[in-house]
Amino acid sequence: MMSIKKQLLNLGSMIKNSFSKHTRQLLHKKSGWVRRLTWRRIFRIVAWGAAGIVALSLLFVGYLYITLPNINALVNAAPMKQSTKIYDRTGKVLLYEINGNQKRTVVSLSDIPLDCQHATIAVEDKTFYTNSGLDFRSILRSMWVDLSGGILAQGGSTITQQFVKNAYLTSQRSFTRKIREAFLALELDRKLPKSQILSLYLNEIPYGSNAYGIEAASEMYFGKPVKSLDLAECSILASLPQAPTYYSPFGSNRSALIDRQHLVLSLMQQQGYITAAQEQQADNEQLVFASPESDNIKAPHFVMYIKNYLVQKYGENMVENGGLKVTTTLSWPLQQIADKAVADHATANAKYYNASNEGLLAMDPNTGQILAMVGSRNYFDVNNDGNFNVTLADRQPGSSFKPIVYAEAFTKGLSPNTVVFDTQTNFSVGGQDYIPQDYDGKFRGPVTLRQALAESLNIPAVKVLYIAGINNAISLASKMGITTFKDPSQYGLSLVLGGGDVQLIQMVDAYGAFATGGIHYPTSGILEVQDSTGKILEQWHADPTRVLDANITNEISSVLSDNNARAPMFGANSALYIPGYQVAAKTGTTDNFRDGWTIGYTPSIVAGVWAGNNNFSIPMKWGSDGVVVAGPIWHEFMQQALPLYPKQTFTPPHIPSSGRPMVNGEWLVKTTVPINGQNGLLATTSTPPLFVEDKTYVEVHNILYYINKDAITGPQPSNPTQDPQFYNWEQPVQQWVQQHADQFAGMAVNQPVPTQYDGNGQPLSGSGGSGGQSSPTTPTSQSTTISASITSPQQNATITQSTVTVTTAITPANDVKQVGFFFDGALVGTSMAYPYSATFSIPAVAANESGQHTISIRVYGNDNTIATAAQTIVTNIPGLVSPALTLAAPNSSSFPLTLSATAQDVNAAQVNSVDFYYYPAGKKDQIHPIGEAVSLSSQNTYDVSWQESPGTGNYVVYAVMNLADGSQVQSNEEDISVQ
């Protein structure tokens, strides 16, 4: 080697002297030398310049070669390694030490099964036995793949190169390191037999989780020595060295590991190491992995999340051996609270709801920093895939995605006061039917968006998404940190109900923007990374972006924190309610109960919980909605975490006013005018008083009648039927109007207000208006000749009977054509003869509700003048019986089980339906529907069949009767024990 060194140094000296001589000659030429250059001289200059570059390159390469360490010393040397330490946000709690307890057991090549050797060679270096330490064809192929952006099945480095890099060099990507690696590989291949090189490689390389060498990896992942491994297990170990952290069986990418295993087996079959039958058998083998060791690791899912980030950024070798000091964002006190909250409810979820796993993630919305992460209930429970991190997994969010859609709709001009109709609607436009249902199967008619979002109603939510726009909603979700919606064209209106995959970590990040008044901070788990010398490699810095107007987020927070608004669906004391704190929260449940979500926030902290099964093809039991399986975990975490922060409240929103009906909350557009009841024309002074009546015209339409969804604040559409969804929405609304005709008794529904006047007289006061209202107790033309008063009942008289007689005093009595009698504005009688009195029955609704009411009269004179009078009365009618509902105690606990409820003091025509419910004893916040009875099974009795057992335990059952007037009556509660 010394002779080579001297020759290289002599060559460098000769080149230097020669190059210097010609340079001096050129510099001393006369100033006009350029004009006298010939092509021959130019060629000579270029040639000498190229020769100089080549010589310098050779000199540089030679220098690298002669400064290489002695290969014999390297083979026997022990590499120096430093551990990477991961800390919590204080820098004092050590979460994990990577390589701090490095595991390695050297075994001879004879103890390593041929399948393991062949699997490694097949995927890492198929020319291992024929190359000289370098495989130039593989190098060229790797360069081509890098340039073309393809996927490489095998690496460009040989096994010999990989051993040299791992054992003696660094993972630094540099030209110098690659040259040194090539020289050492060539020298090692010349010095050692292939079998020894393979043995060194298999005992040296990292397999992840602090396992170095194939023996330690076998013990780590399979719990047995390498000599006991079969083909399938060998192919798994051969899959790891390319990216040990990513492919780790203890990580979240096991499906990717299995895909790579299939590739390894395929390459082995192609290269003749195994047969096609052996490949198929190994592909189909059910692998059993050992339990990951729990020693010296805190917050394991978070630690592995951080480690994966570090490996991607700094390389496997730097993380395993580089001595990094990593200060994370994790709050150890909050992590302990999160671990306990999940553990406290895991057993019950598994027992009662068939939910084998839960995940929790908490974040500081004002920084985007992760404070706590629980990826599964037990990281070390291998039988339940405990190492799987569900906070990073794609899952459907159910209704927890709705607030993002509502925020986009509010941005376009809707508000919590806006009204839409909750009616059965087919949203199909010339294609497949899409008819979503609300959770309880009911239809509520007109509802505000506050009510719709708080109660998590599905049909209104789909309408809100249509108005907001699918692409707009996806764009907002992307701005808020959700990156899983790759192709917006793949999504339809079901997106608002959770029809697109998201990740818990990204949903929590998105809700953080609601907590901060519209400011989004990217998710971060790192505060600082230092190398082994103390040099700071990276440091957290704020990178905020405004994604929503502050008032829009105030509107969302106002709705999601409105416990009264959500109480009709969830109850007043649900898991979403935390006494003493204003907390915004939303649940989500997917079809067939595969996913249960609860996400909520204050201005200080945002947290989300997912519950279900890691194998998401397996659903939970029926009724396992988000508030039941995820809500209690979220509630426990927030209840203990909130006292650690200053108590804060949300800023009340300013809800803008709009000139559009329904956008402002006015779903019933009412106009009252006096008309001639005989011909329908607007009444005038020439209309006979007997024919004059106040008639109310009402408009009831779907919201698309009043707005253009692409310009909500713009003018009302001149032809709303052009919207492709108009008729889909309008028809159910008109059906609802017909079904509730009693609410519009005496009104003209969706009829034009008359514009023509009756006869030749002058219009009566208030006639012909549009949009205003006139009361029948208000005179339309003040009389100058007639005076009227009510003599009985007297002002503020208490009425104790269901009928009442009204007497009057009218002067002059002989100048009266007709007297009309009204109760709370409704005509209840007329009189055309002295003494002008009337007896009528008090309407049933008023009779059943004690309180103040108005009796009024309208007197029509012979000279077309009108006089009015009114009195206030109080109804207090004893003996009226309120409807009641009695639930019979269950006479069995065998399923299917029949439940019966008997209605009293009400007839079948007054009952819409009777709903039956149950909840676990002592847990009234976990109410589940059983079913609905809409017809009588016998006299005044309603039955329902309870099909599926809720599981062993004590439960409470009850029923609710829904009356035609919109009121509800709850039955008594009965206990039932299910064995």
Side-chain angles (χ1 to χ4, degrees):
M1 183 172 294
M2 292 302 296
S3 59
I4 295 176
K5 178 178 180 181
K6 289 181 178 179
Q7 292 177 23
L8 288 172
L9 292 174
N10 290 336
L11 176 61
S13 178
M14 291 172 58
I15 293 172
K16 177 182 178 182
N17 293 335
S18 176
F19 184 74
S20 299
K21 176 181 178 182
H22 283 275
T23 301
R24 287 193 301 271
Q25 290 177 351
L26 286 173
L27 292 175
H28 286 81
K29 291 291 184 180
K30 294 180 180 179
S31 60
W33 67 274
V34 175
R35 293 189 300 270
R36 294 192 298 273
L37 279 176
T38 63
W39 284 110
R40 183 177 179 183
R41 289 181 177 178
I42 293 173
F43 176 77
R44 182 182 300 170
I45 293 171
V46 172
W48 275 105
I53 293 173
V54 171
L56 289 173
S57 299
L58 289 173
L59 186 63
F60 176 67
V61 171
Y63 170 77
L64 293 179
Y65 178 75
I66 62 178
T67 56
L68 287 175
N70 185 281
I71 196 65
N72 294 320
L74 289 181
V75 171
N76 299 315
M80 295 293 294
K81 303 178 188 299
Q82 297 185 62
S83 62
T84 288
K85 295 181 179 180
I86 299 178
Y87 294 90
D88 76 334
R89 67 187 300 109
T90 68
K92 297 178 181 179
V93 178
L94 178 62
L95 302 177
Y96 190 50
E97 186 171 357
I98 302 174
N99 197 34
N101 56 341
Q102 182 182 124
K103 298 175 177 65
R104 185 201 306 276
T105 303
V106 177
V107 294
S108 65
L109 194 62
S110 60
D111 286 331
I112 302 174
L114 285 176
D115 283 337
C116 289
Q117 299 179 40
H118 295 159
T120 300
I121 292 170
V123 73
E124 297 293 343
D125 185 5
K126 69 177 181 179
T127 65
F128 172 69
Y129 285 113
T130 59
N131 65 49
S132 59
L134 298 179
D135 185 349
F136 294 101
R137 184 175 299 177
S138 293
I139 293 173
L140 293 175
R141 183 175 66 249
S142 177
M143 292 172 61
W144 169 252
V145 169
D146 284 342
L147 293 172
S148 64
I151 298 174
L152 194 63
Q154 292 177 301
S157 298
T158 64
I159 283 176
T160 311
Q161 287 176 272
Q162 292 180 53
F163 167 72
V164 166
K165 181 183 70 174
N166 279 282
Y168 312 121
L169 301 175
T170 70
S171 297
Q172 180 185 6
R173 296 178 179 273
S174 68
F175 181 67
T176 301
R177 198 270 294 163
K178 291 297 291 184
I179 293 177
R180 289 178 177 273
E181 176 187 301
F183 279 148
L184 283 174
L186 289 170
E187 189 70 12
L188 189 67
D189 189 80
R190 186 175 67 85
K191 291 276 188 179
L192 301 178
K194 291 290 187 180
S195 60
Q196 189 174 351
I197 294 174
L198 183 59
S199 177
L200 288 169
Y201 174 83
L202 291 173
N203 280 290
E204 169 64 29
I205 57 171
Y207 285 84
S209 296
N210 292 338
Y212 285 76
I214 197 166
E215 175 71 7
S218 180
E219 293 285 356
M220 175 76 71
Y221 299 123
F222 294 109
K224 54 187 175 182
V226 67
K227 63 182 179 182
S228 302
L229 299 185
D230 62 17
L231 172 60
E233 294 164 335
C234 284
S235 61
I236 285 288
L237 293 189
S239 303
L240 296 175
Q242 185 187 65
T245 298
Y246 179 79
Y247 288 120
S248 171
F250 299 157
S252 301
N253 304 303
R254 187 174 292 183
S255 60
L257 170 63
I258 299 303
D259 289 342
R260 182 158 175 81
Q261 180 210 20
H262 294 334
L263 170 64
V264 172
L265 291 168
S266 175
L267 292 174
M268 291 181 72
Q269 193 272 330
Q270 293 173 21
Q271 295 171 31
Y273 291 116
I274 58 174
T275 66
Q278 289 174 307
E279 177 190 0
Q280 187 64 42
Q281 181 180 359
D283 270 337
N284 296 333
E285 181 176 323
Q286 293 296 316
L287 294 162
V288 178
F289 294 100
S291 300
E293 297 183 6
S294 60
D295 295 341
N296 303 320
I297 184 170
K298 297 179 176 70
H301 291 99
F302 177 74
V303 164
M304 294 307 163
Y305 166 75
I306 294 298
K307 181 182 177 185
N308 190 57
Y309 164 82
L310 295 171
V311 167
Q312 291 182 21
K313 185 166 186 178
Y314 299 105
E316 193 86 37
N317 188 58
M318 174 65 81
V319 174
E320 294 286 347
N321 307 308
L324 301 178
K325 179 184 178 182
V326 183
T327 305
T328 70
T329 62
L330 186 119
S331 167
W332 181 236
L334 286 179
Q335 180 66 35
Q336 292 173 294
I337 293 173
D339 287 333
K340 185 177 185 299
V342 170
D344 285 349
H345 298 274
T347 301
N349 275 355
K351 181 177 180 180
Y352 297 114
Y353 304 109
N354 192 35
S356 64
N357 190 41
E358 297 80 24
L360 185 153
L361 190 129
M363 188 178 293
D364 181 349
N366 301 292
T367 61
Q369 295 172 5
I370 299 171
L371 301 174
M373 176 187 285
V374 181
S376 292
R377 63 174 60 168
N378 183 356
Y379 180 83
F380 305 102
D381 182 3
V382 67
N383 294 326
N384 191 36
D385 292 331
N387 57 292
F388 182 77
N389 191 343
V390 75
T391 69
L392 309 177
D394 290 349
R395 292 289 185 267
Q396 291 197 345
S399 295
S400 65
F401 189 70
K402 288 176 182 175
I404 296 173
V405 174
Y406 276 72
E408 178 61 28
F410 291 171
T411 299
K412 292 184 69 175
L414 302 187
S415 79
N417 291 343
T418 299
V419 175
V420 296
F421 271 83
D422 179 25
T423 51
Q424 180 166 302
T425 306
N426 187 346
F427 291 90
S428 171
V429 179
Q432 186 175 0
D433 289 348
Y434 178 50
I435 310 175
Q437 301 292 315
D438 289 337
Y439 178 79
D440 55 7
K442 297 179 181 179
F443 305 104
R444 292 163 176 78
V447 296
T448 66
L449 295 193
R450 175 178 293 276
Q451 178 185 355
L453 179 57
E455 295 188 37
S456 199
L457 304 180
N458 291 338
I459 298 169
V462 175
K463 293 182 177 180
V464 170
L465 175 58
Y466 178 74
I467 295 171
I470 295 173
N471 288 345
N472 294 333
I474 290 176
S475 176
L476 176 59
S478 177
K479 294 175 184 176
M480 297 175 74
I482 297 174
T483 64
T484 49
F485 301 140
K486 303 299 183 184
D487 183 1
S489 67
Q490 299 298 311
Y491 302 98
L493 292 176
S494 64
L495 178 68
V496 71
L497 307 184
D501 287 346
V502 297
Q503 297 175 3
L504 177 58
I505 189 173
Q506 295 184 356
M507 285 291 287
V508 171
D509 184 29
Y511 271 61
F514 294 140
T516 60
I519 305 297
H520 173 254
Y521 292 84
T523 302
S524 176
I526 299 288
L527 288 180
E528 185 179 86
V529 178
Q530 296 182 12
D531 67 11
S532 58
T533 68
K535 177 183 177 182
I536 296 176
L537 303 180
E538 68 173 278
Q539 209 167 30
W540 179 85
H541 66 279
D543 188 19
T545 304
R546 176 164 290 283
V547 296
L548 281 169
D549 181 81
N551 192 61
I552 300 300
T553 64
N554 294 341
E555 290 179 318
I556 294 293
S557 297
S558 171
V559 174
L560 296 185
S561 62
D562 190 339
N563 195 54
N564 291 329
R566 63 176 170 244
M569 179 64 73
F570 297 98
N573 293 302
S574 73
L576 307 183
Y577 175 62
I578 300 179
Y581 291 92
Q582 188 183 24
V583 184
K586 185 70 187 73
T587 64
T589 310
T590 54
D591 290 343
N592 299 319
F593 302 100
R594 283 183 169 82
D595 307 88
W597 299 69
T598 298
I599 309 176
Y601 59 91
T602 70
S604 301
I605 186 171
V606 54
V609 174
W610 173 93
N613 293 296
N614 282 341
N615 182 351
F616 57 86
S617 65
I618 300 176
M620 296 176 286
K621 287 184 179 179
W622 186 92
S624 304
D625 50 277
V627 72
V628 173
V629 292
I633 300 173
W634 176 87
H635 181 94
E636 180 177 331
F637 174 81
M638 292 293 282
Q639 194 170 41
Q640 296 186 48
L642 288 176
L644 303 178
Y645 296 90
K647 186 177 291 188
Q648 294 179 279
T649 58
F650 299 111
T651 301
H654 165 68
I655 299 180
S657 178
S658 167
R660 295 284 169 267
M662 298 191 78
V663 175
N664 270 352
E666 304 162 10
W667 65 272
L668 188 65
V669 181
K670 183 184 296 185
T671 303
T672 302
V673 294
I675 66 166
N676 183 334
Q678 299 297 304
N679 58 25
L681 301 179
L682 291 170
T684 66
T685 55
S686 65
T687 303
L690 183 64
F691 300 151
V692 175
E693 62 181 72
D694 284 333
K695 188 167 185 178
T696 299
Y697 294 81
V698 295
E699 281 186 0
V700 185
H701 294 288
N702 81 84
I703 193 172
L704 296 178
Y705 183 86
Y706 302 103
I707 66 167
N708 178 343
K709 72 179 182 64
D710 296 322
I712 294 174
T713 57
Q716 183 171 334
S718 58
N719 183 10
T721 62
Q722 291 182 339
D723 190 294
Q725 284 287 349
F726 179 82
Y727 287 114
N728 290 351
W729 298 16
E730 183 71 5
Q731 183 179 2
V733 170
Q734 298 312 318
Q735 291 175 347
W736 181 88
V737 171
Q738 294 175 12
Q739 294 166 0
H740 296 79
D742 56 319
Q743 295 187 25
F744 309 100
M747 302 180 185
V749 181
N750 293 335
Q751 297 178 18
V753 178
T755 56
Q756 294 183 332
Y757 289 95
D758 183 40
N760 297 317
Q762 295 298 315
L764 298 180
S765 175
S767 173
S770 177
Q773 299 185 36
S774 62
S775 168
T777 63
T778 302
T780 55
S781 178
Q782 186 62 47
S783 171
T784 59
T785 61
I786 296 178
S787 64
S789 63
I790 298 173
T791 57
S792 178
Q794 295 182 355
Q795 177 75 7
N796 295 323
T798 299
I799 307 300
T800 59
Q801 296 180 346
S802 59
T803 60
V804 63
T805 298
V806 180
T807 62
T808 65
I810 303 172
T811 58
N814 60 353
D815 201 20
V816 176
K817 285 185 178 181
Q818 184 185 43
V819 178
F821 296 82
F822 300 85
F823 184 87
D824 284 344
L827 182 66
V828 291
T830 60
S831 176
M832 300 177 65
Y834 184 83
Y836 305 113
S837 63
T839 300
F840 60 91
S841 297
I842 295 177
V845 173
N848 278 286
E849 296 180 359
S850 299
Q852 289 186 344
H853 302 276
T854 300
I855 293 176
S856 58
I857 61 173
R858 174 173 286 189
V859 181
Y860 298 92
N862 289 322
D863 59 353
N864 294 325
T865 57
I866 300 174
T868 62
Q871 296 279 55
T872 298
I873 65 170
V874 178
T875 57
N876 185 12
I877 304 172
L880 292 177
V881 180
S882 299
L885 184 69
T886 302
L887 176 69
N891 56 11
S892 171
S893 60
S894 300
F895 288 80
L897 173 64
T898 299
L899 299 176
S900 298
T902 303
Q904 294 91 33
D905 302 312
V906 67
N907 58 53
Q910 295 175 280
V911 181
N912 285 341
S913 64
V914 175
D915 297 318
F916 293 78
Y917 301 90
Y918 79 92
Y919 62 86
K923 298 181 179 180
K924 201 165 185 177
D925 60 333
Q926 300 181 16
I927 297 173
H928 306 279
I930 296 173
E932 177 185 63
V934 295
S935 60
L936 298 174
S937 59
S938 60
Q939 185 64 31
N940 288 341
T941 300
Y942 295 82
D943 292 344
V944 70
S945 179
W946 192 357
Q947 294 291 324
E948 185 176 353
S949 170
T952 302
N954 296 319
Y955 299 89
V956 178
V957 294
Y958 67 95
V960 175
M961 180 166 56
N962 303 293
L963 300 178
D965 62 4
S967 62
Q968 292 181 317
V969 177
Q970 181 174 326
S971 75
N972 55 298
E973 296 184 344
E974 292 291 340
D975 297 329
I976 180 174
S977 179
V978 179
Q979 304 299 323

